[in-house]
Amino acid sequence: MPIAALELNDASLAMAGPGDVSLLGPGYAADLDGVLRFGDEACALVRAKPRLAQRRYWAEMAEAPLPQPLARCRSSADLVHEHLAHLWSLCAGADGVVLVGMPEWSAGQLGLLLGIARDIGMPVTGLVDAAVAASRRPCPGRSIWHLQATLENAFITRVGQEGGAARFVARETVERCGIEALERGCAAFIARQFVEGSRFDPLHDAASEQQLYDRLPGWLLVASRAAQAPASMEYAGQRFEARLDASALRERIARLWEPVTQKLRARFSPHEPSVLLVHPRLADFPGLLETLSRLPACTVMLLEPGAAARGALRLGAGNGAEGAVRLTTTLPFDQPPADMGPADASVAAPAPSHIVFEGRAWRLSDGELHIGTGLEADEYGIRISADAAGVSRRHCTIRVESGRVIVHDQSRYGTLLNGHRIEGAAALQAGDVLSLGQPPRQFTLIVEVDRGA
């Protein structure tokens, strides 16, 4: 009998069997007249009747009591128990299941998951890391990175490819940049368009907020294909309309994703071409893939829905006796090498050559450029007025390091890059804007263009 695989990403659960993938909706649960419902059915109550619904229980899986019990479930582990039992009921005829774990989970949570599976009679034949499962083909001459988002967070994983196998190397978490944050930002943008066009605020009432979120996927799909996306809602017997500017929505999404982009920039080198494997759920947000494609020397590859579940099937059966299942972090590639032509670092986005402030441009060379209120007379940099609020004597320094332009924040107040605070240092590209102080002083990064370019 076949082996099934379950991809336990609460933003988009998926099940794979031989030659087939089923998408099972997000990790939501709702109490409908005393009966627990999951996935898309539960989505209809998450905002309209929040006391009857739960989310994030997969990521937070624990035996501690919930603040608000749901039906017979008193803890997030109880909810995972019920949801996993439901998923197991969908694996009809399977001899066993390979589980693709949530990247948030600790070793203790993985053990709890296996205990729950054993309790419901699910024979777990393997447990595999999501990034490793989704990486099925080598990329010669390029480094491999995997990008996914759960409901709460985003995760950047480096995947090694030595010895003909995908191997987990390292993972970085970008907190509060998951699917819910993107949806919340898009919903707020669209609600604002309704307010400006008709003075109707969909977020003012639970029922209209639920309606907005129900229609959000369709509006995002239209906005990804057209310059203008019409939107309409009905509330209290009235019809309200708005027109969504797709370009402005894309800019909004790019700003929401800026912390993730900053992390990726810091990891990617213009001298080492990279491949970024992107979870398909992220393609639902207009402009996000285009934003990622502008990373230095990066080729973006959108994964198919359920890619990690399908890839986990190559783990097969017999990889762990009952009670002895271990997290698999290395899997042989089962597809031929990706054919992307010769690796060429010249595809990197141009590094900035100058920084512009108040109509003047400073060249960025191999030395250092300092910004602050207390620069020495012989230091190269931009001196800010000593009475400027929120600006340190030596606020930040820009250096050219191995072909990249890096800003190092040295202040106690913080430096913003494209509206988000830098954590220590960040790589810069042409078009970026640095902000510091109150009121904000803005510095634009540009690249000089020759006449023949």
Side-chain angles (χ1 to χ4, degrees):
M1 295 295 289
I3 297 295
L6 288 175
E7 182 178 342
L8 303 178
N9 180 336
D10 61 3
S12 181
L13 298 163
M15 177 179 66
D20 183 43
V21 171
S22 300
L23 302 182
L24 307 174
Y28 292 162
D31 180 1
L32 297 179
D33 299 324
V35 179
L36 280 174
R37 303 292 184 182
F38 303 102
D40 292 330
E41 285 187 271
C43 283
L45 286 178
V46 167
R47 292 166 181 86
K49 297 182 179 180
R51 291 182 178 274
L52 300 180
Q54 287 283 350
R55 50 190 176 181
R56 301 184 190 172
Y57 52 90
W58 283 101
E60 298 170 357
M61 179 177 51
E63 296 179 294
L66 289 168
Q68 180 72 36
L70 187 67
R72 58 187 175 273
C73 297
R74 297 293 182 264
S75 68
S76 55
D78 289 343
L79 281 168
V80 170
H81 183 286
E82 296 300 313
H83 201 163
L84 194 63
H86 169 71
L87 297 176
W88 173 229
S89 71
L90 303 178
C91 301
D95 274 348
V97 177
V98 177
L99 299 178
V100 181
M102 289 271 291
E104 285 103 329
W105 282 338
S106 65
Q109 287 176 302
L110 290 173
L112 179 57
L113 175 72
L114 293 175
I116 292 171
R118 187 162 52 249
D119 187 64
I120 65 175
M122 173 188 285
V124 176
T125 63
L127 179 63
V128 62
D129 180 81
V132 171
S135 304
R136 303 181 63 185
R137 61 175 72 229
C139 299
R142 291 168 166 82
S143 60
I144 299 178
W145 299 80
H146 178 265
L147 176 63
Q148 71 177 121
T150 60
L151 288 178
E152 179 70 8
N153 302 313
F155 299 88
I156 302 166
T157 306
R158 177 70 182 264
V159 180
Q161 52 182 328
E162 300 80 12
R167 176 178 57 87
F168 174 89
V169 176
R171 173 170 292 137
E172 187 166 8
T173 303
V174 189
E175 296 182 347
R176 297 179 295 280
C177 281
I179 297 300
E180 284 192 335
L182 286 167
E183 288 181 335
R184 191 163 51 247
C186 292
F189 173 88
I190 294 172
R192 184 63 184 171
Q193 307 312 302
F194 276 101
V195 171
E196 292 179 354
S198 61
R199 298 185 180 180
F200 166 62
D201 184 0
L203 300 179
H204 181 70
D205 178 83
S208 59
E209 179 181 355
Q210 182 67 60
Q211 184 183 166
L212 186 153
Y213 274 89
D214 290 344
R215 298 189 179 187
L216 183 61
W219 290 335
L220 294 180
L221 180 61
V222 175
S224 69
R225 299 173 176 176
Q228 297 286 331
S232 64
M233 294 180 63
E234 294 182 1
Y235 179 75
Q238 292 185 278
R239 182 181 178 87
F240 301 93
E241 297 185 349
R243 186 162 292 276
L244 312 180
D245 185 324
S247 177
L249 178 59
R250 288 167 182 261
E251 291 178 6
R252 171 68 169 164
I253 292 170
R255 288 197 298 272
L256 291 169
W257 203 243
E258 180 65 28
V260 180
T261 306
Q262 286 187 26
K263 296 286 188 183
L264 289 167
R265 282 194 202 175
R267 302 296 170 265
F268 290 179
S269 168
H271 306 295
E272 181 187 11
S274 302
V275 171
L276 182 64
L277 306 178
V278 180
H279 190 280
R281 186 69 175 83
L282 295 171
D284 295 341
F285 300 94
L288 197 54
L289 294 182
E290 289 85 345
T291 297
L292 295 172
S293 69
R294 291 194 287 270
L295 290 165
C298 175
T299 299
V300 174
M301 296 182 65
L302 182 64
L303 294 168
E304 63 181 347
R310 190 187 294 274
L313 289 174
R314 68 188 193 269
L315 188 61
N319 287 278
E322 185 175 354
V325 177
R326 298 289 184 269
L327 179 65
T328 298
T329 56
T330 302
L331 277 179
F333 293 117
D334 67 336
Q335 293 186 353
D339 183 12
M340 293 177 288
D344 183 6
S346 66
V347 299
S353 60
H354 295 74
I355 184 169
V356 177
F357 177 61
E358 295 184 343
R360 301 172 66 192
W362 282 257
R363 182 179 293 278
L364 304 174
S365 60
D366 293 334
E368 297 181 337
L369 181 141
H370 306 281
I371 301 176
T373 62
L375 273 60
E376 301 296 334
D378 60 344
E379 282 187 311
Y380 179 60
I382 303 174
R383 185 176 288 103
I384 307 299
S385 173
D387 61 358
V391 182
S392 299
R393 288 177 55 80
R394 186 176 294 273
H395 196 99
C396 60
T397 299
I398 299 176
R399 304 189 188 104
V400 179
E401 303 174 6
S402 301
R404 296 189 300 173
V405 179
I406 309 294
V407 57
H408 297 266
D409 178 38
Q410 300 155 317
S411 72
R412 59 176 177 169
Y413 303 105
T415 301
L416 302 184
L417 172 58
N418 300 329
H420 290 269
R421 184 164 180 162
I422 294 170
E423 296 181 10
L428 299 175
Q429 291 182 343
D432 285 343
V433 176
L434 293 174
S435 304
L436 52 94
Q438 289 295 333
R441 289 159 174 79
Q442 293 191 334
F443 304 78
T444 304
L445 282 301
I446 65 170
V447 61
E448 185 177 8
V449 179
D450 293 334
R451 179 170 185 157

Coordinates of all heavy atoms in Angstrom, one line a residue, residues 287-342:
G287 N 3.2 41.4 -6.8 CA 4.5 42.1 -6.8 C 5.6 41.4 -5.9 O 6.8 41.8 -5.9
L288 N 5.2 40.4 -5.0 CA 6.2 39.9 -4.1 C 7.3 39.1 -4.8 O 8.5 39.2 -4.5 CB 5.4 39.0 -3.1 CG 6.2 38.6 -1.9 CD1 6.7 39.8 -1.1 CD2 5.3 37.7 -0.9
L289 N 6.9 38.3 -5.8 CA 7.9 37.6 -6.6 C 8.9 38.6 -7.3 O 10.1 38.3 -7.4 CB 7.3 36.6 -7.6 CG 6.5 35.5 -7.0 CD1 6.0 34.6 -8.1 CD2 7.4 34.7 -6.0
E290 N 8.3 39.7 -7.9 CA 9.1 40.7 -8.6 C 10.1 41.3 -7.6 O 11.2 41.6 -7.9 CB 8.2 41.7 -9.2 CG 7.4 41.2 -10.4 CD 6.1 40.6 -10.0 OE1 5.9 40.3 -8.8 OE2 5.3 40.4 -10.9
T291 N 9.6 41.6 -6.4 CA 10.5 42.1 -5.4 C 11.7 41.2 -5.1 O 12.8 41.6 -5.0 CB 9.7 42.4 -4.1 OG1 8.7 43.4 -4.3 CG2 10.7 42.9 -3.0
L292 N 11.4 39.9 -5.0 CA 12.4 38.9 -4.7 C 13.4 38.8 -5.9 O 14.6 38.6 -5.7 CB 11.8 37.6 -4.4 CG 11.0 37.5 -3.1 CD1 10.3 36.2 -3.0 CD2 11.8 37.8 -1.9
S293 N 12.9 38.9 -7.1 CA 13.7 38.8 -8.3 C 14.7 39.9 -8.4 O 15.7 39.7 -9.2 CB 12.8 38.7 -9.5 OG 12.2 40.0 -9.8
R294 N 14.6 41.0 -7.7 CA 15.5 42.1 -7.7 C 16.7 41.9 -6.7 O 17.6 42.7 -6.6 CB 14.8 43.4 -7.5 CG 13.9 43.8 -8.6 CD 13.5 45.3 -8.5 NE 12.5 45.5 -7.4 CZ 11.2 45.4 -7.5 NH1 10.7 45.1 -8.7 NH2 10.4 45.6 -6.5
L295 N 16.7 40.8 -6.0 CA 17.8 40.5 -5.1 C 19.1 40.3 -6.0 O 19.0 39.8 -7.1 CB 17.5 39.3 -4.3 CG 16.4 39.5 -3.2 CD1 15.9 38.1 -2.7 CD2 16.9 40.3 -2.1
P296 N 20.2 40.6 -5.4 CA 21.5 40.4 -6.2 C 21.8 39.0 -6.6 O 21.8 38.1 -5.8 CB 22.6 41.0 -5.2 CG 22.0 40.9 -3.9 CD 20.5 41.1 -4.0
A297 N 22.0 38.8 -7.9 CA 22.5 37.5 -8.4 C 21.6 36.4 -8.0 O 22.0 35.3 -7.7 CB 23.9 37.3 -8.0
C298 N 20.3 36.6 -8.1 CA 19.3 35.6 -7.6 C 18.3 35.2 -8.6 O 17.8 36.1 -9.4 CB 18.5 36.2 -6.4 SG 17.2 35.2 -5.7
T299 N 18.1 33.9 -8.8 CA 17.1 33.3 -9.6 C 16.0 32.8 -8.8 O 16.2 32.0 -7.9 CB 17.7 32.2 -10.5 OG1 18.7 32.7 -11.3 CG2 16.6 31.6 -11.4
V300 N 14.8 33.3 -9.0 CA 13.6 32.9 -8.2 C 12.9 31.8 -8.8 O 12.6 31.9 -10.0 CB 12.7 34.1 -7.9 CG1 11.4 33.7 -7.2 CG2 13.4 35.2 -7.1
M301 N 12.7 30.7 -8.1 CA 11.9 29.6 -8.6 C 10.7 29.3 -7.7 O 10.9 29.1 -6.5 CB 12.8 28.3 -8.7 CG 14.0 28.4 -9.6 SD 15.0 26.9 -9.7 CE 13.8 25.8 -10.4
L302 N 9.5 29.5 -8.3 CA 8.3 29.3 -7.5 C 8.0 27.8 -7.5 O 7.9 27.1 -8.5 CB 7.2 30.0 -8.2 CG 5.8 30.0 -7.5 CD1 5.9 30.6 -6.2 CD2 4.7 30.6 -8.4
L303 N 7.9 27.3 -6.2 CA 7.6 25.9 -6.0 C 6.1 25.6 -6.4 O 5.3 26.5 -6.2 CB 7.9 25.5 -4.6 CG 9.3 25.6 -4.2 CD1 9.5 25.4 -2.7 CD2 10.1 24.5 -4.9
E304 N 5.8 24.4 -6.7 CA 4.5 24.0 -7.0 C 3.7 23.8 -5.7 O 4.3 23.6 -4.6 CB 4.4 22.7 -7.8 CG 5.1 21.5 -7.0 CD 5.1 20.2 -7.8 OE1 4.4 20.2 -8.8 OE2 5.7 19.3 -7.4
P305 N 2.4 24.0 -5.7 CA 1.6 23.7 -4.5 C 1.8 22.3 -3.9 O 1.9 21.3 -4.7 CB 0.1 23.9 -5.0 CG 0.2 24.8 -6.1 CD 1.5 24.4 -6.8
G306 N 2.1 22.2 -2.6 CA 2.4 21.0 -2.0 C 3.7 20.4 -2.3 O 3.9 19.2 -2.2
A307 N 4.7 21.3 -2.7 CA 6.0 20.8 -3.1 C 6.7 20.0 -2.0 O 7.3 19.0 -2.3 CB 6.8 22.0 -3.6
A308 N 6.6 20.5 -0.8 CA 7.3 19.8 0.3 C 6.7 18.5 0.6 O 7.4 17.5 0.9 CB 7.3 20.7 1.6
A309 N 5.3 18.4 0.5 CA 4.7 17.1 0.7 C 5.1 16.1 -0.4 O 5.4 15.0 -0.1 CB 3.2 17.3 0.7
R310 N 5.1 16.6 -1.6 CA 5.4 15.7 -2.7 C 6.9 15.2 -2.6 O 7.2 14.1 -2.8 CB 5.2 16.4 -4.1 CG 5.3 15.4 -5.3 CD 5.3 16.2 -6.6 NE 4.0 16.8 -6.8 CZ 2.9 16.2 -7.4 NH1 3.1 14.9 -7.7 NH2 1.8 16.8 -7.6
G311 N 7.8 16.2 -2.2 CA 9.2 15.9 -2.1 C 9.4 15.0 -0.9 O 10.4 14.2 -0.9
A312 N 8.6 15.0 0.1 CA 8.8 14.2 1.3 C 8.5 12.7 1.0 O 9.0 11.8 1.7 CB 7.9 14.6 2.4
L313 N 7.8 12.4 -0.1 CA 7.5 11.0 -0.4 C 8.8 10.2 -0.8 O 8.8 9.0 -0.7 CB 6.5 11.0 -1.6 CG 5.1 11.4 -1.4 CD1 4.3 11.4 -2.7 CD2 4.4 10.5 -0.4
R314 N 9.8 10.9 -1.2 CA 11.1 10.2 -1.5 C 11.7 9.6 -0.3 O 12.7 8.8 -0.4 CB 12.0 11.1 -2.3 CG 12.7 12.2 -1.6 CD 13.4 13.1 -2.6 NE 14.3 14.1 -2.1 CZ 14.0 15.3 -1.8 NH1 12.7 15.7 -2.0 NH2 14.9 16.2 -1.4
L315 N 11.3 10.0 0.9 CA 11.8 9.4 2.1 C 11.4 8.0 2.2 O 12.1 7.1 2.8 CB 11.3 10.2 3.4 CG 11.9 9.8 4.7 CD1 13.4 10.1 4.7 CD2 11.3 10.7 5.8
G316 N 10.2 7.7 1.7 CA 9.7 6.3 1.6 C 9.3 5.7 3.0 O 9.2 6.4 4.0
A317 N 9.1 4.4 3.0 CA 8.7 3.7 4.2 C 10.0 3.1 4.9 O 11.0 3.0 4.3 CB 7.7 2.6 3.8
G318 N 9.8 2.7 6.1 CA 10.8 2.0 6.8 C 12.0 2.9 7.3 O 13.1 2.4 7.5
N319 N 11.8 4.2 7.4 CA 12.8 5.1 7.8 C 12.8 5.4 9.3 O 13.6 6.2 9.8 CB 12.7 6.5 7.0 CG 13.1 6.3 5.6 OD1 14.3 6.3 5.3 ND2 12.2 6.1 4.7
G320 N 12.0 4.7 10.0 CA 12.0 4.9 11.4 C 10.9 4.0 12.0 O 9.7 4.1 11.7
A321 N 11.4 3.1 12.9 CA 10.4 2.2 13.6 C 9.6 3.0 14.5 O 10.0 4.1 14.9 CB 11.2 1.1 14.3
E322 N 8.4 2.5 14.9 CA 7.5 3.2 15.8 C 8.3 3.6 17.1 O 9.0 2.8 17.7 CB 6.3 2.4 16.1 CG 5.3 3.1 17.0 CD 4.1 2.3 17.2 OE1 3.9 1.2 16.7 OE2 3.2 2.8 18.0
G323 N 8.2 4.9 17.4 CA 8.9 5.4 18.6 C 10.3 5.8 18.4 O 11.0 6.2 19.3
A324 N 10.8 5.6 17.2 CA 12.2 5.9 16.9 C 12.4 6.8 15.7 O 13.4 6.8 15.1 CB 13.0 4.6 16.7
V325 N 11.3 7.5 15.4 CA 11.4 8.5 14.2 C 12.2 9.7 14.6 O 12.1 10.3 15.6 CB 10.0 8.9 13.8 CG1 10.0 9.9 12.7 CG2 9.2 7.7 13.4
R326 N 13.1 10.0 13.7 CA 14.0 11.2 13.9 C 13.8 12.2 12.7 O 13.4 11.8 11.6 CB 15.5 10.8 13.9 CG 15.8 9.9 15.1 CD 15.8 10.6 16.4 NE 16.2 9.7 17.5 CZ 15.4 9.0 18.2 NH1 14.1 8.9 18.0 NH2 15.9 8.2 19.2
L327 N 14.0 13.4 13.0 CA 13.9 14.5 12.0 C 15.0 14.3 10.9 O 16.2 14.3 11.2 CB 14.0 15.9 12.6 CG 13.9 17.0 11.6 CD1 12.5 17.1 11.0 CD2 14.2 18.4 12.3
T328 N 14.5 14.1 9.7 CA 15.4 13.9 8.5 C 15.8 15.3 8.0 O 14.9 16.1 7.7 CB 14.8 13.1 7.4 OG1 14.5 11.8 8.0 CG2 15.7 13.0 6.2
T329 N 17.1 15.6 7.9 CA 17.6 16.8 7.4 C 18.5 16.7 6.2 O 19.1 17.7 5.7 CB 18.4 17.6 8.5 OG1 19.5 16.7 9.0 CG2 17.5 17.9 9.7
T330 N 18.5 15.5 5.6 CA 19.3 15.2 4.4 C 18.5 14.2 3.5 O 18.1 13.2 4.0 CB 20.7 14.7 4.6 OG1 21.4 15.6 5.4 CG2 21.4 14.5 3.3
L331 N 18.2 14.6 2.3 CA 17.5 13.7 1.3 C 18.2 13.7 0.0 O 18.5 14.8 -0.5 CB 16.1 14.1 1.2 CG 15.0 13.7 2.2 CD1 13.7 14.3 1.9 CD2 14.9 12.2 2.3
P332 N 18.4 12.6 -0.7 CA 18.9 12.6 -2.0 C 18.0 13.3 -3.0 O 16.8 13.3 -2.9 CB 19.0 11.1 -2.4 CG 18.9 10.4 -1.1 CD 18.1 11.2 -0.2
F333 N 18.6 14.0 -3.9 CA 17.9 14.6 -5.0 C 17.2 13.5 -5.9 O 17.9 12.5 -6.1 CB 18.8 15.5 -5.9 CG 19.3 16.7 -5.2 CD1 20.7 16.9 -5.0 CD2 18.5 17.7 -4.7 CE1 21.2 18.0 -4.4 CE2 19.0 18.9 -4.1 CZ 20.3 19.0 -3.9
D334 N 16.0 13.8 -6.3 CA 15.3 12.8 -7.1 C 15.0 13.3 -8.5 O 14.2 12.7 -9.2 CB 14.1 12.2 -6.4 CG 13.0 13.3 -6.3 OD1 13.3 14.5 -6.3 OD2 11.8 12.9 -6.1
Q335 N 15.4 14.5 -8.8 CA 15.2 15.1 -10.1 C 16.5 15.6 -10.7 O 17.5 15.9 -10.0 CB 14.2 16.3 -10.0 CG 12.8 15.8 -9.6 CD 11.8 17.0 -9.6 OE1 12.2 18.2 -9.8 NE2 10.5 16.7 -9.4
P336 N 16.6 15.7 -12.1 CA 17.8 16.1 -12.7 C 18.2 17.5 -12.3 O 17.4 18.3 -11.9 CB 17.5 16.0 -14.2 CG 16.0 16.1 -14.3 CD 15.5 15.4 -13.1
P337 N 19.5 17.9 -12.5 CA 19.9 19.3 -12.2 C 19.1 20.3 -12.9 O 18.7 20.1 -14.1 CB 21.4 19.3 -12.6 CG 21.8 17.8 -12.6 CD 20.6 17.1 -13.0
A338 N 18.9 21.4 -12.3 CA 18.2 22.6 -12.9 C 19.0 23.1 -14.0 O 20.2 23.3 -13.9 CB 17.9 23.6 -11.8
D339 N 18.4 23.3 -15.2 CA 19.1 23.9 -16.3 C 18.8 25.4 -16.4 O 17.8 25.8 -16.9 CB 18.6 23.1 -17.6 CG 19.4 23.6 -18.8 OD1 20.4 24.3 -18.7 OD2 18.9 23.3 -19.9
M340 N 19.8 26.1 -15.9 CA 19.6 27.6 -15.9 C 20.8 28.3 -16.7 O 21.0 29.5 -16.6 CB 19.5 28.1 -14.5 CG 18.3 27.7 -13.8 SD 18.2 28.3 -12.1 CE 19.5 27.2 -11.4
G341 N 21.5 27.5 -17.4 CA 22.6 28.1 -18.2 C 23.8 28.3 -17.2 O 23.8 28.1 -16.0
P342 N 24.9 28.9 -17.8 CA 26.1 29.1 -16.9 C 25.8 30.1 -15.8 O 25.0 31.1 -16.0 CB 27.1 29.7 -17.9 CG 26.6 29.4 -19.3 CD 25.1 29.3 -19.2

